[in-house]
Amino acid sequence: MKKIFAALLAGALAISLVACGTSSSTASVASAGDSSKVTSAPASETPTLDAIKQKGKIVMLTSTGFPPYEYLGDDGKPAGVDIDLAQLVADDLGVELEVIDMNFDLLIDALKSGKGDFIAAGMTANEERATHIDFSQSYTANGLLMVVAAGNDTIKTAADLAGKTIAVQSGTTADLYANDEVKGAKVLTFKTPIEAGTAVAGGKADVAIIDNLPAKSIAESSNGKLQVIEGFITEEPMAMGIAKNQEDLVEEIDKVLAAAVKDGTVEALTDKHYEIAGA
């Protein structure tokens, strides 16, 4: 009996060990099998656009007072070429457009800090700015003009700017030009080019340096107090600004702008808002 019992006990232990081994092995295989089924989702190729669509709006940063590209309409809301082009981007994405108006020299920092998705403010794409943000394709050629008091015949070329009091919009390429390229100039900075033009009309400055169409619009709406000196003193490409590492948004804006340039939309909007803003 003892031998039979011992044999039965040994058999039971062997079965138990086999059962435990099977269970452990099965669990291990199951675990390995489950693990192999867990795969991470592929990264989106359009993370910025996905985020914009999820929140249901795209935020444009601008600085009004730069007609015809951005100005305050009769309803007190931002209007202009850039606002309409930004609306085309929003429509293409199927989201709402929100416009935030601020001083021009705050735009890049605001974009970098995430307060908006892109800048559309008649901004010149230059090398210094490109170290901080990316740019879309250029959608219009631009350049700086001189605006003087009507009847002023002492300033005819850029060489005549030396030693003069020059009014500019703060943080613009006009600001940089007056400070870096003109000898002996006294530079007065203002929030908008309209204020720079007003300084000339009021005798506080000899000349204002302003971008092409805004300069002409401001002069035409000055009741004969201002005149534009023909001939660019610089030539500059205008583009929209996008934060670094957001290539999908750059591509989206480029697509919309390319179509708007090709089908004449940019030209039509420029004519429309030039007439309104210059009135």
Side-chain angles (χ1 to χ4, degrees):
M1 284 295 291
K2 286 183 179 180
K3 289 183 178 180
I4 293 172
F5 179 79
L8 290 173
L9 181 59
L13 288 172
I15 292 171
S16 174
L17 288 172
V18 170
C20 290
T22 302
S23 173
S24 174
S25 175
T26 303
S28 176
V29 171
S31 176
D34 293 341
S35 169
S36 67
K37 293 178 181 178
V38 178
T39 57
S40 58
S44 172
E45 295 182 356
T46 57
T48 307
L49 299 183
D50 293 346
I52 289 170
K53 290 177 180 178
Q54 185 174 9
K55 68 183 181 183
K57 67 178 179 180
I58 188 168
V59 180
M60 165 191 169
L61 303 178
T62 195
S63 181
T64 54
F66 194 70
Y69 298 102
E70 32 272 325
Y71 57 94
L72 293 178
D74 291 338
D75 59 0
K77 296 180 181 179
V81 177
D82 285 337
I83 284 78
D84 286 353
L85 291 176
Q87 186 64 59
L88 293 179
V89 175
D91 291 345
D92 193 64
L93 293 173
V95 298
E96 294 182 4
L97 174 66
E98 178 181 343
V99 181
I100 298 179
D101 186 16
M102 63 180 64
N103 289 351
F104 187 89
D105 55 2
L106 300 178
L107 288 170
I108 290 179
D109 285 341
L111 179 68
K112 291 169 66 176
S113 66
K115 293 182 179 178
D117 296 303
F118 69 109
I119 296 170
M123 181 172 281
T124 299
N126 60 27
E127 291 184 4
E128 194 280 328
R129 288 173 180 155
T131 63
H132 300 283
I133 61 175
D134 287 333
F135 283 102
S136 70
Q137 71 161 66
S138 175
Y139 55 96
T140 188
N142 197 25
L144 295 177
L145 292 175
M146 298 181 294
V147 178
V148 298
N152 183 328
D153 59 0
T154 62
I155 300 176
K156 297 179 180 179
T157 70
D160 298 325
L161 292 173
K164 298 295 192 296
T165 299
I166 304 173
V168 298
Q169 182 183 15
S170 178
T172 63
T173 52
D175 189 357
L176 295 174
Y177 181 89
N179 280 287
D180 297 343
E181 304 295 333
V182 183
K183 293 182 180 180
K186 179 182 179 181
V187 182
L188 305 180
T189 58
F190 297 90
K191 291 182 179 179
T192 71
I194 293 175
E195 292 177 355
T198 300
V200 175
K204 296 180 180 179
D206 300 308
V207 58
I209 299 178
I210 303 172
D211 289 81
N212 177 26
L213 290 182
K216 292 178 179 178
S217 177
I218 290 167
E220 288 184 7
S221 59
S222 69
N223 294 321
K225 295 180 180 180
L226 299 172
Q227 66 182 31
V228 172
I229 305 300
E230 293 297 333
F232 289 158
I233 58 176
T234 66
E235 293 187 22
E236 307 165 347
M238 188 181 292
M240 295 186 180
I242 302 97
K244 291 287 187 181
N245 302 314
Q246 295 186 356
E247 289 80 4
D248 55 334
L249 181 54
V250 174
E251 291 179 6
E252 168 65 23
I253 292 176
D254 276 351
K255 179 186 73 172
V256 173
L257 291 180
V261 170
K262 185 177 181 179
D263 67 12
T265 297
V266 172
E267 183 177 2
L269 289 175
T270 302
D271 290 343
K272 168 190 169 183
H273 287 289
Y274 184 82
E275 183 176 349
I276 295 172

mmCIF file of all heavy atoms in Angstrom, residues 32-65:
data_model
loop_
_atom_site.group_PDB
_atom_site.id
_atom_site.type_symbol
_atom_site.label_atom_id
_atom_site.label_comp_id
_atom_site.label_asym_id
_atom_site.label_seq_id
_atom_site.Cartn_x
_atom_site.Cartn_y
_atom_site.Cartn_z
ATOM 1 N N ALA A 32 2.469 37.481 -24.495
ATOM 2 C CA ALA A 32 3.252 37.880 -25.657
ATOM 3 C C ALA A 32 2.335 38.168 -26.834
ATOM 4 O O ALA A 32 2.547 39.096 -27.598
ATOM 5 C CB ALA A 32 4.257 36.773 -26.011
ATOM 6 N N GLY A 33 1.282 37.344 -26.941
ATOM 7 C CA GLY A 33 0.341 37.534 -28.048
ATOM 8 C C GLY A 33 -0.392 38.850 -27.930
ATOM 9 O O GLY A 33 -0.535 39.587 -28.899
ATOM 10 N N ASP A 34 -0.841 39.167 -26.692
ATOM 11 C CA ASP A 34 -1.543 40.428 -26.474
ATOM 12 C C ASP A 34 -0.639 41.613 -26.771
ATOM 13 O O ASP A 34 -1.045 42.608 -27.347
ATOM 14 C CB ASP A 34 -2.056 40.512 -25.030
ATOM 15 C CG ASP A 34 -3.147 39.495 -24.765
ATOM 16 O OD1 ASP A 34 -3.737 39.005 -25.752
ATOM 17 O OD2 ASP A 34 -3.384 39.218 -23.580
ATOM 18 N N SER A 35 0.632 41.465 -26.336
ATOM 19 C CA SER A 35 1.589 42.536 -26.538
ATOM 20 C C SER A 35 1.788 42.822 -28.011
ATOM 21 O O SER A 35 1.901 43.975 -28.430
ATOM 22 C CB SER A 35 2.923 42.169 -25.886
ATOM 23 O OG SER A 35 3.922 43.055 -26.275
ATOM 24 N N SER A 36 1.817 41.775 -28.795
ATOM 25 C CA SER A 36 2.058 41.959 -30.218
ATOM 26 C C SER A 36 0.883 42.634 -30.912
ATOM 27 O O SER A 36 1.029 43.234 -31.962
ATOM 28 C CB SER A 36 2.342 40.610 -30.894
ATOM 29 O OG SER A 36 1.175 39.806 -30.861
ATOM 30 N N LYS A 37 -0.300 42.551 -30.290
ATOM 31 C CA LYS A 37 -1.476 43.158 -30.884
ATOM 32 C C LYS A 37 -1.585 44.659 -30.573
ATOM 33 O O LYS A 37 -2.318 45.378 -31.215
ATOM 34 C CB LYS A 37 -2.741 42.454 -30.384
ATOM 35 C CG LYS A 37 -2.861 41.011 -30.879
ATOM 36 C CD LYS A 37 -4.103 40.362 -30.305
ATOM 37 C CE LYS A 37 -4.228 38.904 -30.757
ATOM 38 N NZ LYS A 37 -5.399 38.248 -30.166
ATOM 39 N N VAL A 38 -0.846 45.134 -29.544
ATOM 40 C CA VAL A 38 -0.907 46.526 -29.138
ATOM 41 C C VAL A 38 0.090 47.323 -29.977
ATOM 42 O O VAL A 38 1.293 47.209 -29.793
ATOM 43 C CB VAL A 38 -0.579 46.702 -27.640
ATOM 44 C CG1 VAL A 38 -0.595 48.175 -27.259
ATOM 45 C CG2 VAL A 38 -1.576 45.925 -26.802
ATOM 46 N N THR A 39 -0.393 48.089 -30.874
ATOM 47 C CA THR A 39 0.465 48.906 -31.732
ATOM 48 C C THR A 39 0.073 50.368 -31.583
ATOM 49 O O THR A 39 -1.100 50.711 -31.467
ATOM 50 C CB THR A 39 0.325 48.499 -33.213
ATOM 51 O OG1 THR A 39 -1.037 48.598 -33.593
ATOM 52 C CG2 THR A 39 0.826 47.083 -33.433
ATOM 53 N N SER A 40 1.073 51.236 -31.556
ATOM 54 C CA SER A 40 0.790 52.670 -31.423
ATOM 55 C C SER A 40 0.260 53.217 -32.740
ATOM 56 O O SER A 40 0.663 52.791 -33.818
ATOM 57 C CB SER A 40 2.084 53.417 -31.048
ATOM 58 O OG SER A 40 3.074 53.188 -32.022
ATOM 59 N N ALA A 41 -0.665 54.171 -32.628
ATOM 60 C CA ALA A 41 -1.261 54.769 -33.821
ATOM 61 C C ALA A 41 -0.211 55.568 -34.576
ATOM 62 O O ALA A 41 0.646 56.202 -33.959
ATOM 63 C CB ALA A 41 -2.415 55.677 -33.422
ATOM 64 N N PRO A 42 -0.242 55.523 -35.889
ATOM 65 C CA PRO A 42 0.738 56.289 -36.669
ATOM 66 C C PRO A 42 0.575 57.781 -36.428
ATOM 67 O O PRO A 42 -0.533 58.280 -36.259
ATOM 68 C CB PRO A 42 0.407 55.919 -38.115
ATOM 69 C CG PRO A 42 -1.029 55.474 -38.078
ATOM 70 C CD PRO A 42 -1.197 54.803 -36.752
ATOM 71 N N ALA A 43 1.700 58.490 -36.362
ATOM 72 C CA ALA A 43 1.648 59.933 -36.135
ATOM 73 C C ALA A 43 0.964 60.624 -37.310
ATOM 74 O O ALA A 43 1.165 60.263 -38.470
ATOM 75 C CB ALA A 43 3.065 60.470 -35.967
ATOM 76 N N SER A 44 0.142 61.638 -37.000
ATOM 77 C CA SER A 44 -0.556 62.372 -38.043
ATOM 78 C C SER A 44 0.433 63.185 -38.871
ATOM 79 O O SER A 44 1.411 63.722 -38.348
ATOM 80 C CB SER A 44 -1.593 63.312 -37.422
ATOM 81 O OG SER A 44 -2.144 64.168 -38.403
ATOM 82 N N GLU A 45 0.175 63.266 -40.163
ATOM 83 C CA GLU A 45 1.014 64.075 -41.038
ATOM 84 C C GLU A 45 0.603 65.546 -41.013
ATOM 85 O O GLU A 45 1.296 66.396 -41.555
ATOM 86 C CB GLU A 45 0.949 63.535 -42.467
ATOM 87 C CG GLU A 45 1.536 62.133 -42.621
ATOM 88 C CD GLU A 45 1.496 61.649 -44.056
ATOM 89 O OE1 GLU A 45 0.943 62.376 -44.912
ATOM 90 O OE2 GLU A 45 2.020 60.558 -44.330
ATOM 91 N N THR A 46 -0.547 65.826 -40.386
ATOM 92 C CA THR A 46 -1.044 67.215 -40.325
ATOM 93 C C THR A 46 -1.458 67.568 -38.891
ATOM 94 O O THR A 46 -2.613 67.922 -38.645
ATOM 95 C CB THR A 46 -2.233 67.404 -41.275
ATOM 96 O OG1 THR A 46 -3.266 66.450 -40.934
ATOM 97 C CG2 THR A 46 -1.826 67.205 -42.725
ATOM 98 N N PRO A 47 -0.520 67.517 -37.945
ATOM 99 C CA PRO A 47 -0.895 67.754 -36.542
ATOM 100 C C PRO A 47 -1.428 69.157 -36.270
ATOM 101 O O PRO A 47 -2.358 69.333 -35.482
ATOM 102 C CB PRO A 47 0.420 67.500 -35.784
ATOM 103 C CG PRO A 47 1.493 67.737 -36.807
ATOM 104 C CD PRO A 47 0.919 67.236 -38.090
ATOM 105 N N THR A 48 -0.865 70.161 -36.926
ATOM 106 C CA THR A 48 -1.333 71.530 -36.690
ATOM 107 C C THR A 48 -2.737 71.729 -37.232
ATOM 108 O O THR A 48 -3.604 72.302 -36.563
ATOM 109 C CB THR A 48 -0.386 72.544 -37.358
ATOM 110 O OG1 THR A 48 0.959 72.284 -36.935
ATOM 111 C CG2 THR A 48 -0.767 73.971 -36.968
ATOM 112 N N LEU A 49 -2.972 71.227 -38.437
ATOM 113 C CA LEU A 49 -4.311 71.351 -39.030
ATOM 114 C C LEU A 49 -5.331 70.546 -38.233
ATOM 115 O O LEU A 49 -6.478 70.980 -38.062
ATOM 116 C CB LEU A 49 -4.296 70.883 -40.486
ATOM 117 C CG LEU A 49 -3.384 71.663 -41.441
ATOM 118 C CD1 LEU A 49 -3.526 71.135 -42.865
ATOM 119 C CD2 LEU A 49 -3.687 73.152 -41.400
ATOM 120 N N ASP A 50 -4.920 69.382 -37.729
ATOM 121 C CA ASP A 50 -5.821 68.568 -36.910
ATOM 122 C C ASP A 50 -6.258 69.338 -35.669
ATOM 123 O O ASP A 50 -7.434 69.322 -35.287
ATOM 124 C CB ASP A 50 -5.135 67.259 -36.491
ATOM 125 C CG ASP A 50 -4.872 66.334 -37.672
ATOM 126 O OD1 ASP A 50 -5.447 66.577 -38.753
ATOM 127 O OD2 ASP A 50 -4.081 65.390 -37.509
ATOM 128 N N ALA A 51 -5.287 70.010 -35.033
ATOM 129 C CA ALA A 51 -5.594 70.770 -33.815
ATOM 130 C C ALA A 51 -6.526 71.941 -34.121
ATOM 131 O O ALA A 51 -7.443 72.240 -33.354
ATOM 132 C CB ALA A 51 -4.296 71.275 -33.181
ATOM 133 N N ILE A 52 -6.309 72.606 -35.249
ATOM 134 C CA ILE A 52 -7.161 73.733 -35.642
ATOM 135 C C ILE A 52 -8.589 73.251 -35.899
ATOM 136 O O ILE A 52 -9.564 73.866 -35.455
ATOM 137 C CB ILE A 52 -6.584 74.424 -36.894
ATOM 138 C CG1 ILE A 52 -5.299 75.177 -36.531
ATOM 139 C CG2 ILE A 52 -7.610 75.383 -37.516
ATOM 140 C CD1 ILE A 52 -4.529 75.699 -37.723
ATOM 141 N N LYS A 53 -8.716 72.147 -36.609
ATOM 142 C CA LYS A 53 -10.045 71.608 -36.909
ATOM 143 C C LYS A 53 -10.748 71.142 -35.637
ATOM 144 O O LYS A 53 -11.965 71.286 -35.493
ATOM 145 C CB LYS A 53 -9.922 70.458 -37.897
ATOM 146 C CG LYS A 53 -9.514 70.900 -39.295
ATOM 147 C CD LYS A 53 -9.328 69.721 -40.239
ATOM 148 C CE LYS A 53 -8.912 70.181 -41.623
ATOM 149 N NZ LYS A 53 -8.679 69.039 -42.549
ATOM 150 N N GLN A 54 -9.983 70.608 -34.698
ATOM 151 C CA GLN A 54 -10.575 70.134 -33.454
ATOM 152 C C GLN A 54 -11.145 71.293 -32.630
ATOM 153 O O GLN A 54 -12.226 71.178 -32.042
ATOM 154 C CB GLN A 54 -9.532 69.376 -32.624
ATOM 155 C CG GLN A 54 -10.102 68.753 -31.362
ATOM 156 C CD GLN A 54 -9.086 67.881 -30.641
ATOM 157 O OE1 GLN A 54 -7.914 67.855 -30.979
ATOM 158 N NE2 GLN A 54 -9.535 67.154 -29.631
ATOM 159 N N LYS A 55 -10.430 72.433 -32.611
ATOM 160 C CA LYS A 55 -10.951 73.580 -31.841
ATOM 161 C C LYS A 55 -11.976 74.387 -32.647
ATOM 162 O O LYS A 55 -12.667 75.249 -32.086
ATOM 163 C CB LYS A 55 -9.805 74.478 -31.372
ATOM 164 C CG LYS A 55 -9.065 75.220 -32.452
ATOM 165 C CD LYS A 55 -7.906 76.026 -31.854
ATOM 166 C CE LYS A 55 -7.152 76.801 -32.948
ATOM 167 N NZ LYS A 55 -5.989 77.531 -32.410
ATOM 168 N N GLY A 56 -12.062 74.119 -33.954
ATOM 169 C CA GLY A 56 -13.112 74.727 -34.769
ATOM 170 C C GLY A 56 -12.863 76.149 -35.206
ATOM 171 O O GLY A 56 -13.761 76.813 -35.716
ATOM 172 N N LYS A 57 -11.632 76.629 -35.044
ATOM 173 C CA LYS A 57 -11.322 77.984 -35.483
ATOM 174 C C LYS A 57 -9.830 78.125 -35.734
ATOM 175 O O LYS A 57 -9.016 77.370 -35.201
ATOM 176 C CB LYS A 57 -11.771 79.021 -34.458
ATOM 177 C CG LYS A 57 -10.995 78.984 -33.139
ATOM 178 C CD LYS A 57 -11.470 80.083 -32.184
ATOM 179 C CE LYS A 57 -10.699 80.031 -30.855
ATOM 180 N NZ LYS A 57 -11.146 81.089 -29.928
ATOM 181 N N ILE A 58 -9.497 79.096 -36.580
ATOM 182 C CA ILE A 58 -8.108 79.442 -36.820
ATOM 183 C C ILE A 58 -7.944 80.900 -36.432
ATOM 184 O O ILE A 58 -8.796 81.739 -36.736
ATOM 185 C CB ILE A 58 -7.706 79.190 -38.291
ATOM 186 C CG1 ILE A 58 -6.200 79.379 -38.474
ATOM 187 C CG2 ILE A 58 -8.498 80.061 -39.262
ATOM 188 C CD1 ILE A 58 -5.686 78.858 -39.820
ATOM 189 N N VAL A 59 -6.864 81.213 -35.718
ATOM 190 C CA VAL A 59 -6.678 82.547 -35.151
ATOM 191 C C VAL A 59 -5.605 83.306 -35.925
ATOM 192 O O VAL A 59 -4.457 82.873 -36.025
ATOM 193 C CB VAL A 59 -6.292 82.466 -33.660
ATOM 194 C CG1 VAL A 59 -6.115 83.879 -33.085
ATOM 195 C CG2 VAL A 59 -7.348 81.703 -32.875
ATOM 196 N N MET A 60 -6.009 84.439 -36.479
ATOM 197 C CA MET A 60 -5.114 85.310 -37.241
ATOM 198 C C MET A 60 -4.688 86.486 -36.373
ATOM 199 O O MET A 60 -5.506 87.133 -35.729
ATOM 200 C CB MET A 60 -5.842 85.812 -38.489
ATOM 201 C CG MET A 60 -5.190 86.993 -39.192
ATOM 202 S SD MET A 60 -6.307 87.687 -40.446
ATOM 203 C CE MET A 60 -5.446 89.206 -40.851
ATOM 204 N N LEU A 61 -3.401 86.778 -36.384
ATOM 205 C CA LEU A 61 -2.866 87.938 -35.682
ATOM 206 C C LEU A 61 -2.588 89.037 -36.704
ATOM 207 O O LEU A 61 -1.988 88.782 -37.750
ATOM 208 C CB LEU A 61 -1.568 87.574 -34.951
ATOM 209 C CG LEU A 61 -1.648 86.420 -33.952
ATOM 210 C CD1 LEU A 61 -0.270 86.143 -33.353
ATOM 211 C CD2 LEU A 61 -2.655 86.714 -32.851
ATOM 212 N N THR A 62 -3.016 90.256 -36.405
ATOM 213 C CA THR A 62 -2.803 91.346 -37.347
ATOM 214 C C THR A 62 -2.611 92.660 -36.603
ATOM 215 O O THR A 62 -2.680 92.717 -35.367
ATOM 216 C CB THR A 62 -3.986 91.459 -38.334
ATOM 217 O OG1 THR A 62 -3.606 92.292 -39.440
ATOM 218 C CG2 THR A 62 -5.227 92.027 -37.659
ATOM 219 N N SER A 63 -2.371 93.711 -37.375
ATOM 220 C CA SER A 63 -2.232 95.050 -36.805
ATOM 221 C C SER A 63 -2.920 96.029 -37.743
ATOM 222 O O SER A 63 -2.408 96.347 -38.818
ATOM 223 C CB SER A 63 -0.747 95.415 -36.656
ATOM 224 O OG SER A 63 -0.602 96.701 -36.090
ATOM 225 N N THR A 64 -4.107 96.471 -37.366
ATOM 226 C CA THR A 64 -4.874 97.364 -38.236
ATOM 227 C C THR A 64 -4.221 98.740 -38.305
ATOM 228 O O THR A 64 -3.343 99.074 -37.517
ATOM 229 C CB THR A 64 -6.319 97.501 -37.754
ATOM 230 O OG1 THR A 64 -6.326 97.898 -36.370
ATOM 231 C CG2 THR A 64 -7.065 96.187 -37.875
ATOM 232 N N GLY A 65 -4.662 99.530 -39.275
ATOM 233 C CA GLY A 65 -4.029 100.819 -39.504
ATOM 234 C C GLY A 65 -3.041 100.720 -40.650
ATOM 235 O O GLY A 65 -2.144 101.563 -40.791
#
